[in-house]
Amino acid sequence: MPAEDRSHIAAALLSGGLDSMVAAALAKERGQVVHALTIDYGQRHRREIEAARAIASALDLASHSEISLDLRQFGGSALTADIDVPKGGVGEDIPVTYVPARNTIFLAHALALA
């Protein structure tokens, strides 16, 4: 592809949530050719992956890649282990739902895709 055509390409992290769906839809609406990446990081709720697939299909994205990257080995997160998710709000300590460096790791993979 000629270099001048690459300015219309976007890489999107597609988690299956509202924020990533809107970001991908806005990029497509603005004329970008959107290539999405979903990361299965060992999260307990498979619904996120299913939703990302449905969103990629509904938005008719140029491509949708999925990779597995097991972050459970870092432990201690209610998102990846059998730990109750607190319902009482956020405290002063690091929340039990924190997955160490998850977003940094995701961004590195999105950069590789881009």
Side-chain angles (χ1 to χ4, degrees):
M1 171 180 300
E4 62 272 6
D5 294 337
R6 293 184 183 154
S7 65
H8 298 291
I9 298 174
L13 280 167
L14 194 60
S15 69
L18 183 62
D19 294 340
S20 66
M21 178 189 70
V22 170
L26 286 173
K28 185 166 181 182
E29 183 179 82
R30 292 179 179 148
Q32 301 290 307
V33 177
V34 181
H35 297 272
L37 175 63
T38 298
I39 300 175
D40 178 349
Y41 61 93
Q43 62 269 52
R44 291 172 25 186
H45 301 289
R46 307 312 308 158
R47 180 69 183 114
E48 293 178 24
I49 304 296
E50 295 164 8
R53 290 176 185 148
I55 291 165
S57 178
L59 293 177
D60 193 28
L61 301 181
S63 71
H64 179 223
S65 301
E66 294 180 33
I67 62 171
S68 294
L69 185 66
D70 191 353
L71 299 181
R72 291 178 295 181
Q73 65 182 320
F74 300 116
S77 174
L79 299 184
T80 59
D82 191 18
I83 299 170
D84 290 336
V85 175
K87 307 290 188 219
V90 179
E92 293 184 23
D93 294 330
I94 296 173
V96 71
T97 54
Y98 176 71
V99 178
R102 179 186 68 181
N103 292 343
T104 302
I105 293 166
F106 286 5
L107 287 171
H109 284 77
L111 176 61
L113 173 66

